[in-house]
Amino acid sequence: MTELSREYGEGLYSLCVEEALASEALEQLIALKALFRENPDFCRLVSNQALSKAERVGILDNALRGQVHPYVLNFLKILCERGIVSEFEGCVDAFHTFYNRDNGVVEAVVTTSVPLDEVRRQQLMEKLRSMTGKQIQLIEKVDEAVVGGVLLEMEGKRYDNTLRHRLNTMRQMLTSED
């Protein structure tokens, strides 16, 4: 995330907090981020300098008016007018970071070899909630290279309880010189 996207994301977040719209705006921003990733041609279109600012802003307006809150739409229009639509994802990330901080939410990225079933997911979330005292937003990843166990990244820390890590630790213990 760039300093520019952090500043813009924080500005939008502050406005939305003042207007009690932070949750609604966050949902819409996340949905737009996913939509733009799925449709990169749309982002290229509204970033195309061959079109006038008015044309690019008009495209955004026609596509999103009535679909998102006016603050979110106007925010996108500002990015478009300033030629920095490419900063949108970073702005969303910044908004999300500020939202999580103010609402006691921690993102936890868990990587396993197979998808977690509902029981294990709930057990993990409860354990993380008790560890942090905060709400947990679980982001699940599946990586077949994780032969067994769980790799967890949360609050800038990495907790590696995978079989590979445990075997490497045992190997180091057995081969270390005392």
Side-chain angles (χ1 to χ4, degrees), residues 164-176:
R164 174 183 288 162
H165 177 73
R166 288 182 281 182
L167 289 173
N168 285 339
T169 302
M170 284 177 52
R171 180 180 25 216
Q172 288 174 350
M173 288 173 44
L174 293 172
T175 59
S176 68

Side-chain angles (χ1 to χ4, degrees), residues 13-76:
Y13 177 72
S14 296
L15 175 65
C16 290
V17 166
E18 287 176 19
E19 300 293 327
L21 297 166
S23 294
E24 178 184 352
L26 179 60
E27 285 179 27
Q28 292 177 3
L29 290 167
I30 290 170
L32 285 171
K33 180 178 170 181
L35 184 67
F36 291 169
R37 277 192 175 171
E38 292 170 11
N39 300 287
D41 290 340
F42 181 77
C43 290
R44 282 192 286 277
L45 179 64
V46 296
S47 298
N48 187 341
Q49 298 297 318
L51 300 174
S52 70
K53 285 182 186 178
E55 289 173 313
R56 289 181 279 144
V57 169
I59 291 167
L60 276 172
D61 195 52
N62 289 332
L64 299 174
R65 181 175 295 282
Q67 306 298 313
V68 296
H69 191 278
Y71 286 179
V72 173
L73 178 56
N74 289 338
F75 179 74
L76 276 166

Side-chain angles (χ1 to χ4, degrees), residues 32-168:
L32 285 171
K33 180 178 170 181
L35 184 67
F36 291 169
R37 277 192 175 171
E38 292 170 11
N39 300 287
D41 290 340
F42 181 77
C43 290
R44 282 192 286 277
L45 179 64
V46 296
S47 298
N48 187 341
Q49 298 297 318
L51 300 174
S52 70
K53 285 182 186 178
E55 289 173 313
R56 289 181 279 144
V57 169
I59 291 167
L60 276 172
D61 195 52
N62 289 332
L64 299 174
R65 181 175 295 282
Q67 306 298 313
V68 296
H69 191 278
Y71 286 179
V72 173
L73 178 56
N74 289 338
F75 179 74
L76 276 166
K77 288 179 181 181
I78 290 169
L79 295 180
C80 187
E81 287 172 352
R82 296 189 178 161
I84 55 173
V85 173
S86 61
E87 296 287 335
F88 178 72
E89 280 197 25
C91 295
V92 174
D93 293 344
F95 188 105
H96 204 169
T97 297
F98 289 113
Y99 180 88
N100 284 352
R101 178 200 66 199
D102 290 353
N103 290 280
V105 177
V106 173
E107 282 188 4
V109 179
V110 63
T111 307
T112 55
S113 60
V114 295
L116 293 172
D117 62 35
E118 190 58 34
V119 171
R120 292 196 193 284
R121 181 179 300 109
Q122 291 305 318
Q123 288 172 337
L124 178 60
M125 288 183 63
E126 187 54 42
K127 174 90 170 162
L128 296 176
R129 240 188 314 274
S130 68
M131 280 175 52
T132 63
K134 298 179 180 179
Q135 295 178 45
I136 301 299
Q137 179 180 6
L138 199 62
I139 300 166
E140 297 180 50
K141 294 183 178 180
V142 175
D143 181 355
E144 292 175 4
V146 176
V147 177
V150 173
L151 176 62
L152 177 71
E153 297 173 79
M154 180 176 71
E155 295 186 315
K157 295 179 182 159
R158 183 180 174 116
Y159 305 92
D160 192 340
N161 193 24
T162 61
L163 182 58
R164 174 183 288 162
H165 177 73
R166 288 182 281 182
L167 289 173
N168 285 339

